Amino acid sequence: MATATLLLLCASLLIPSMADELFDVRRHLSTVSRYGAVKDIADNGFVASSIPDGCSAIHLNLVARHGTRSPTKKRMRELESLANHMEVLLRDARNGKQESLQQIPAWLWGWQSPWKGKQKGGELISKGEDELYHLGIRTRERFPDLFNEEYHPDIYVIKATQVPRASASAVAFGIGLFNGRGSLGPGRHRAFSVTTESRASDILLRFYDCCQNYKDYRESQEPMVNKLKEPILDEITSALVERYQLNFTRQDIASLWFLCKQEASLLDIVNQACSLFSPSEVALLEWTDDLEVFILKGYGESINYRMGVPLLQDVVQSMEQAIKDHEEHRAPGTYEKARLRFAHAETVVPFSCLLGLFLEGSEFEQIQREEALQLPPKPPQKRSWRGSIVAPFTGNNMLVLYSCPANNSSNYFVQVLHNEVPVPMPGCYNTNFCPFEVFKERVVNPHLKHDYHLLCNRRSEKQESKPVTSKLVQLLRWPFFQESEIQSKKHDAEAAEL
């Protein structure tokens, strides 16, 4: 009996350390996650439908986010401010108790931002180019019958936003897609066209830039989102102050978490900023980022995704035209076979919501009734909504239209792949292979009753009378946040005295 008890005790001590060892922070960086780290994470509880014999792909729609990019100029300045403050904290520690120096990680001494002195930011980096290039190669290999035509811009339509990292992503994808199909250089590359629309009028891929009501909503919600994050940041700030004997501030922790995400995703460095946090702390920080994406870009408010209706209309119109072309038996090389779009997380997230992805239980019906959804649950509870899955760098949705002439109920089906993996559509009774008529009726048509210009540019009585922060105020009343709010006020009072 004593031996068994000892064995159980040893196992209990080993399990946490083994779990920590298996924990890969690169899979927990919300929308800063690199594609290669998360693209193979799938819902193990979902069994994808196999494509029936006799069915063939006749058209592909792609909506993709740009690849891994460098931090923006504003965030690079934040990291330089962090380096300056770390220098002050370390100097204070050196002048204090000598024993506390042993707790300080060695890498912090003399640390400088990897982007120090850089004048420009936000561009696609080589890792991002590689992501899109190989996505292009895999897309052609997966759908050889779609990409067996001689290139023409009317057959393979490639669109991107005017932002350079998006158009560069389109180019990297195209180089992979048409690899070996041209006569340029040893790789037999070929030139191809990427079209863009002015930012001021791009309601297909940058609908959020042209939607005034959304911009008003976002501006009103951002302070509340920051308020939601404060209890978690304060809790982790206290833990790290005690752990490393440095007087970190809430802003320090927010900046160190941002540094962790940049180091892990862009530089594959996981033993510096990321090592400051335990796996459970990373999970909480990831959750706060996921809440922000949910509230400001996702299911948090219907305008977030309904403003993407022009993109959804464009996708469905291309499918309807493909069906018409197929029915008319048009000659090869005379009709469109793929429409490929490259944009941003602010595009991919709303589009995923329009498709009803990442919903649980009765949430699809709630969306149809225009009811508000609960926010994603706090760890350690499981959740479907994770930014690292919904919209990592290079995150994408493919909608493949199939012709199935042998099927008795429907001749055309739609398959949705998210990050190249078949995913269930609640609107299609949780299948991933849906009759086109059902897809239109249950997924698409409920959104098409909303007009983009009315939704985005007209002030409604509902907007003027209903405070948009009510849902967040309710969340702040949860017991967890009540307790943390007290700590937050105490923290602010102490900071005011310094």
Side-chain angles (χ1 to χ4, degrees):
M1 186 70 177
T3 305
T5 304
L6 183 61
L7 286 172
L8 285 171
L9 178 61
C10 291
S12 67
L13 292 172
L14 283 171
I15 288 170
S17 62
M18 287 171 63
D20 287 1
E21 204 172 289
L22 294 172
F23 182 84
D24 187 348
V25 70
R26 288 169 295 191
R27 291 186 162 205
H28 298 272
L29 305 177
S30 195
T31 57
V32 186
S33 298
R34 202 166 72 232
Y35 190 59
V38 297
K39 76 178 183 66
D40 295 323
I41 298 176
D43 179 2
N44 295 326
F46 174 68
V47 179
S49 305
S50 57
I51 306 301
D53 293 339
C55 294
S56 58
I58 63 171
H59 191 271
L60 172 70
N61 272 282
L62 170 69
V63 178
R65 186 187 179 195
H66 59 75
T68 302
R69 64 166 172 84
S70 70
T72 61
K73 205 161 47 169
K74 178 182 177 182
R75 301 311 293 265
M76 288 191 293
R77 288 197 297 268
E78 178 185 334
L79 292 179
E80 293 200 24
S81 296
L82 174 67
N84 293 335
H85 193 234
M86 289 301 102
E87 187 178 348
V88 172
L89 292 184
L90 291 167
R91 185 170 63 243
D92 291 345
R94 189 184 286 114
N95 295 334
K97 296 179 180 178
Q98 291 299 310
E99 57 268 22
S100 67
L101 299 180
Q102 298 173 5
Q103 309 297 322
I104 299 173
W107 69 269
L108 272 174
W109 297 99
W111 175 81
Q112 294 292 331
S113 167
W115 297 276
K116 181 180 180 182
K118 194 176 176 197
Q119 299 301 311
K120 302 286 185 181
E123 77 282 3
L124 189 71
I125 65 171
S126 59
K127 283 183 171 65
E129 294 175 5
D130 189 69
E131 291 164 355
L132 271 302
Y133 172 74
H134 284 98
L135 177 62
I137 291 174
R138 290 193 300 273
T139 301
R140 190 178 79 187
E141 289 174 346
R142 187 167 191 161
F143 304 105
D145 292 341
L146 286 179
F147 297 99
N148 58 1
E149 303 280 350
E150 181 70 21
Y151 169 78
H152 189 279
D154 293 339
I155 301 174
Y156 303 113
V157 179
I158 307 177
K159 297 177 179 287
T161 69
Q162 267 197 332
V163 179
R165 57 179 170 269
S167 53
S169 295
V171 170
F173 178 90
I175 292 172
L177 185 68
F178 303 120
N179 181 39
R181 297 292 181 90
S183 59
L184 299 176
R188 294 177 52 229
H189 299 298
R190 66 149 303 128
F192 51 89
S193 172
V194 177
T195 61
T196 63
E197 179 78 29
S198 167
R199 292 194 201 192
S201 57
D202 189 357
I203 65 171
L204 285 184
L205 298 179
R206 289 186 69 88
F207 39 78
Y208 48 92
D209 262 354
C210 308
C211 186
Q212 187 58 48
N213 284 341
Y214 169 70
K215 289 193 278 190
D216 292 345
Y217 164 77
R218 180 163 181 151
E219 184 180 354
S220 72
Q221 292 298 282
E222 283 174 342
M224 288 299 294
V225 170
N226 291 333
K227 197 72 175 171
L228 283 178
K229 292 183 174 187
E230 286 180 5
I232 298 295
L233 289 171
D234 289 345
E235 178 184 324
I236 295 174
T237 300
S238 298
L240 265 63
V241 166
E242 184 175 349
R243 190 177 305 154
Y244 301 113
Q245 299 297 300
L246 289 171
N247 291 324
F248 293 121
T249 65
R250 180 195 297 156
Q251 181 56 54
D252 291 335
I253 299 308
S255 296
L256 285 166
W257 171 234
F258 175 73
L259 174 62
C260 162
K261 292 185 288 187
Q262 299 300 307
E263 285 185 335
S265 191
L266 279 64
L267 307 175
D268 275 319
I269 297 173
V270 297
N271 61 350
Q272 291 192 169
C274 292
S275 68
L276 295 174
F277 306 104
S278 68
S280 61
E281 289 165 346
V282 167
L284 287 171
L285 291 165
E286 177 193 21
W287 175 63
T288 63
D289 286 348
D290 290 351
L291 283 181
E292 179 175 344
V293 175
F294 184 90
I295 295 165
L296 299 182
K297 301 173 187 174
Y299 289 114
E301 186 68 28
S302 62
I303 193 172
N304 291 350
Y305 50 91
R306 292 224 166 105
M307 63 179 171
V309 160
L311 174 57
L312 184 63
Q313 287 175 317
D314 187 60
V315 167
V316 174
Q317 178 274 324
S318 71
M319 291 181 179
E320 291 173 333
Q321 184 61 48
I323 291 172
K324 183 173 182 289
D325 294 337
H326 191 261
E327 296 282 344
E328 293 175 354
H329 303 287
R330 293 185 59 181
T334 63
Y335 57 91
E336 180 183 292
K337 299 185 80 171
R339 198 170 291 190
L340 312 165
R341 308 167 186 82
F342 299 86
H344 309 272
E346 291 85 355
T347 314
V348 173
V349 174
F351 186 66
S352 297
C353 293
L354 286 170
L355 297 177
L357 305 186
F358 310 107
L359 293 173
E360 301 184 57
S362 63
E363 289 181 333
F364 178 75
E365 285 70 27
Q366 288 180 256
I367 289 291
Q368 298 294 299
R369 295 192 299 267
E370 302 195 14
E371 295 175 3
L373 299 185
Q374 292 292 320
L375 295 173
K378 180 188 173 200
Q381 297 177 74
K382 291 184 179 180
R383 65 185 186 278
S384 294
W385 186 268
R386 290 186 56 201
S388 57
I389 305 299
V390 178
F393 290 126
T394 309
N396 58 86
N397 286 312
M398 295 184 191
L399 289 85
V400 191
L401 180 66
Y402 283 87
S403 169
C404 299
N407 190 280
N408 294 325
S409 61
S410 177
N411 288 337
Y412 298 97
F413 286 77
V414 177
Q415 183 188 43
V416 174
L417 307 174
H418 182 78
N419 297 342
E420 304 173 72
V421 177
V423 289
M425 287 182 285
C428 288
Y429 308 103
N430 284 318
T431 67
N432 67 283
F433 197 67
C434 182
F436 180 65
E437 296 86 354
V438 176
F439 175 76
K440 276 187 66 177
E441 179 186 348
R442 287 180 52 83
V443 177
V444 177
N445 289 347
H447 295 300
L448 296 189
K449 65 184 180 182
H450 299 280
D451 178 83
Y452 176 81
H453 297 288
L454 292 178
L455 181 74
C456 287
N457 300 314
R458 188 175 73 177
R459 301 294 297 177
S460 68
E461 292 181 9
K462 182 179 177 182
Q463 283 176 302
E464 291 171 359
S465 61
K466 177 187 171 185
V468 291
T469 57
S470 58
K471 189 193 302 183
L472 304 186
V473 170
Q474 289 175 5
L475 182 64
L476 287 169
R477 290 174 183 161
W478 289 3
F480 166 76
F481 283 101
Q482 284 182 333
E483 180 182 347
S484 301
E485 183 80 354
I486 295 170
Q487 295 298 321
S488 176
K489 288 178 179 177
K490 180 181 177 184
H491 182 278
D492 290 342
E494 290 172 350
E497 293 173 1
L498 295 176

